[in-house]
């Protein structure tokens, strides 16, 4: 049982390049989340999903897109990376409506030059 | 809008002494409150939550938190700090009527030997 995994662990992009971050969970959780962590700002919610085929915007969705085609996977896309998107990205999942505990992945460190 | 505030960027405490990490919240309706811990280069781990019931909530690793409705606070406590408790601690609240979670900016705890 791997829990929540994130791919890649680290990536360097040039401004304007695109990439996709993959989050996978093997716990059959319904809800999945993408956060970004920046110094002094804590965690901020980018997008989330309450089930397969659904997505919704969080606090800071601009410049990102997401997809949840399979229940176990939640993809975060950057179409045209900007230096302001340099951050550590965390994925999390939780079982369902009545379960409040989120399980976090190890993070992806992204540097945009 | 729901929010949490962690007024201290850093808390230093001597090993063996009690520790408190502060959190205040602002919500409409009943608060769903959480504490998470982040060790270096790791994802966040759930410590404890308050949904309803006793104002003193017990969690993992000997931590507890006290819910105070009149002061809108949810401070994290431990009777005797360990050096291994040194980490970044986040308070969080669930956004009422949604499944979005709002995190504080984090408090770095340093336990000195």
């Amino acid at each position: 049982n791997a829990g929540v995994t994130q791919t890649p662990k680290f990536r360097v992009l040039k401004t304007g390049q695109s990439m996709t971050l993959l989050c996978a969970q093997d716990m059959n959780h319904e809800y999945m989340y993408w956060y970004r962590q920046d110094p002094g700002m804590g965690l901020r919610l980018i997008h989330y999903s309450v089930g397969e085929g659904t997505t919704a915007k969080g606090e800071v969705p601009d410049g990102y897109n997401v997809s949840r085609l399979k229940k176990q996977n939640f993809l975060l896309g950057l179409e045209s990376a900007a230096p302001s998107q340099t951050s550590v990205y965390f994925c999390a999942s939780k079982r369902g409506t009545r379960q409040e505990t989120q399980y976090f992945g190890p993070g992806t460190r992204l540097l945009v030059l | 809008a729901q929010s949490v505030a962690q007024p201290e960027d850093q808390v230093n405490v001597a090993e063996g002494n009690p520790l408190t990490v502060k959190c205040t919240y602002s919500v409409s309706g009943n608060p769903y409150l959480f504490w998470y811990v982040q060790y270096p280069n790791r994802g966040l781990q759930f410590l404890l939550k308050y949904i309803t019931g006793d104002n003193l909530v017990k969690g993992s690793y000997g931590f507890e938190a006290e819910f105070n409705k009149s002061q809108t606070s949810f401070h994290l406590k431990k009777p005797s700090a360990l050096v291994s408790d040194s980490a970044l601690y986040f308070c969080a609240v669930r956004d009422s009527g949604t499944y979005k979670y709002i995190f504080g900016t984090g408090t770095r705890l340093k336990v000195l030997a």
Side-chain angles (χ1 to χ4, degrees):
Chain A
N1 194 335
V4 180
T5 57
Q6 292 183 233
T7 308
K9 288 185 171 54
F10 176 70
R11 183 78 182 267
V12 179
L13 287 180
K14 294 181 180 178
T15 297
Q17 287 184 319
S18 64
M19 78 163 295
T20 300
L21 282 67
L22 171 63
C23 176
Q25 51 93 6
D26 61 0
M27 299 175 284
N28 201 33
H29 284 179
E30 291 293 333
Y31 291 70
M32 297 187 74
Y33 301 83
W34 276 109
Y35 296 91
R36 58 178 289 174
Q37 183 179 19
D38 302 290
M41 305 198 72
L43 267 73
R44 292 180 292 168
L45 181 63
I46 305 171
H47 286 282
Y48 66 107
S49 168
V50 301
E52 181 179 319
T54 74
T55 62
K57 293 181 180 179
E59 298 174 74
V60 289
D62 295 341
Y64 304 95
N65 56 73
V66 287
S67 65
R68 183 102 182 266
L69 298 180
K70 292 182 179 180
K71 187 176 184 178
Q72 64 267 33
N73 295 338
F74 194 29
L75 279 65
L76 179 70
L78 286 73
E79 288 187 348
S80 180
S84 61
Q85 294 177 303
T86 293
S87 188
V88 181
Y89 292 86
F90 287 100
C91 176
S93 70
K94 77 181 184 95
R95 184 175 302 279
T97 304
R98 294 187 179 275
Q99 284 74 40
E100 298 288 344
T101 303
Q102 292 181 75
Y103 295 83
F104 282 80
T108 293
R109 190 174 296 273
L110 178 65
L111 175 62
V112 183
L113 302 176
Chain B
Q2 274 62 229
S3 65
V4 289
Q6 296 182 244
E8 303 156 317
D9 289 337
Q10 182 162 316
V11 170
N12 294 328
V13 64
E15 187 176 29
N17 282 3
L19 69 86
T20 298
V21 182
K22 295 179 180 177
C23 174
T24 59
Y25 66 89
S26 173
V27 300
S28 54
N30 294 325
Y32 286 50
L33 296 161
F34 309 85
W35 277 102
Y36 285 82
V37 60
Q38 183 181 32
Y39 298 101
N41 300 313
R42 303 285 295 275
L44 278 69
Q45 296 177 34
F46 172 79
L47 276 180
L48 51 80
K49 65 184 176 190
Y50 173 84
I51 306 298
T52 186
D54 288 342
N55 290 341
L56 187 64
V57 180
K58 293 193 183 296
S60 306
Y61 311 122
F63 283 93
E64 56 191 27
E66 187 172 9
F67 172 69
N68 188 316
K69 188 172 183 178
S70 63
Q71 297 187 2
T72 62
S73 66
F74 189 56
H75 299 334
L76 182 69
K77 300 179 185 237
K78 188 174 182 182
S80 179
L82 299 173
V83 172
S84 56
D85 293 330
S86 299
L88 188 56
Y89 290 82
F90 289 96
C91 181
V93 65
R94 196 181 100 184
D95 196 6
S96 297
T98 76
Y99 291 96
K100 297 188 290 186
Y101 295 84
I102 298 162
F103 285 78
T105 52
T107 298
R108 188 166 301 280
L109 173 68
K110 284 195 174 180
V111 182
L112 308 169

